[in-house]
Amino acid sequence: MTVRTDVAETLDELAAMATSRRPDDDVLREFLLRYYRELPDEDADDRRLDDAYAAAVTHLTLGRVRAPGDVLVRVLSPRSDRDGWRSERSVLMFVTEDIPFLVDTVRMVLDRHGLGIHLLVYPTLTFVRDDDHRIVRFAEDEDVSDAGDGDGPTDEAWVLIELDRCAPDLEAQLEADVSTAIDDVLR
């Protein structure tokens, strides 16, 4: 495993991986840079680069198509043989509108299940999506200002939480509970 000294180095390596592995994906490289840019240096040192890349790609796949108001949730205990990447922990990923108390709401669900949090990645991202709700590109300031009627890009919370390892039945229950809790806050 390569030891990286800071997040900037990690981001450079992840961007290079995206360029070489998926050169036709116009969103992935920038997604990786924005997704992990606030990761503390100490977490960048401890993460296996391939697994960090795979976690972000999995999350992007989850949220690549999302209609306004949708709450997308996935809990995964990744295994190399099944998922192409691994982690000793389970991973909770969700994508929704960025709203106040979002992480606090999810933490309450995790507390009810007695699950510890080991890492939290929480970028707020703004995309331009097409009529099928598929990501086209990242929104720029002019995209947001041109959408004065409220139909333009909105801030989306892309949250990844590494948790204590979950049994498969708990993964499904946790997905349902997190989805319900976020829906309750949105409504």
Side-chain angles (χ1 to χ4, degrees):
M1 177 165 81
T2 304
V3 176
R4 289 165 298 286
T5 57
D6 62 18
V7 171
E9 222 177 290
T10 299
L11 293 176
D12 288 345
E13 291 180 45
L14 288 168
M17 290 170 77
T19 300
S20 69
R21 293 180 183 182
R22 295 189 179 194
D24 296 332
D25 190 333
D26 296 332
V27 174
L28 178 60
R29 183 181 183 285
E30 186 65 24
F31 178 80
L32 288 164
L33 294 173
R34 294 182 189 209
Y35 188 77
Y36 283 123
R37 73 176 160 211
E38 293 182 25
L39 191 68
D41 285 343
E42 61 270 11
D43 288 326
D45 285 344
D46 293 335
R47 298 185 58 75
R48 293 192 58 224
L49 197 60
D50 282 331
D51 295 338
Y53 174 87
V57 168
T58 301
H59 205 171
L60 180 58
T61 300
L62 173 69
R64 198 171 286 265
V65 178
R66 188 185 78 80
D70 283 356
V71 177
L72 307 176
V73 180
R74 181 160 187 216
V75 178
L76 177 66
S77 298
R79 295 187 338 231
S80 294
D81 62 325
R82 181 190 67 201
D83 305 304
W85 63 292
R86 66 173 177 77
S87 175
E88 295 173 6
R89 301 178 178 131
S90 292
V91 180
L92 164 63
M93 302 174 179
F94 57 92
V95 183
T96 187
E97 274 79 10
D98 191 36
I99 54 172
F101 309 111
L102 181 61
V103 172
D104 292 334
T105 299
V106 173
R107 282 183 189 202
M108 288 189 292
V109 173
L110 299 176
D111 286 346
R112 279 198 314 264
H113 287 284
L115 295 168
I117 296 174
H118 300 277
L119 175 71
L120 173 68
V121 177
Y122 181 4
T124 302
L125 305 174
T126 308
F127 296 101
V128 172
R129 292 179 179 267
D130 64 17
D131 292 340
D132 295 323
H133 311 293
R134 180 172 297 282
I135 293 172
V136 175
R137 61 180 168 79
F138 279 90
E140 302 301 330
D141 290 340
E142 61 271 10
D143 295 314
V144 177
S145 63
D146 289 346
D149 58 4
D151 288 337
T154 59
D155 290 339
E156 299 179 13
W158 286 71
V159 181
L160 176 141
I161 303 174
E162 284 188 1
L163 313 163
D164 297 333
R165 191 82 175 180
C166 298
D169 58 328
L170 181 55
E171 289 177 7
Q173 184 62 53
L174 194 55
E175 281 183 10
D177 291 352
V178 167
S179 184
T180 298
I182 295 171
D183 273 336
D184 288 347
V185 174
L186 283 171
R187 309 299 171 235

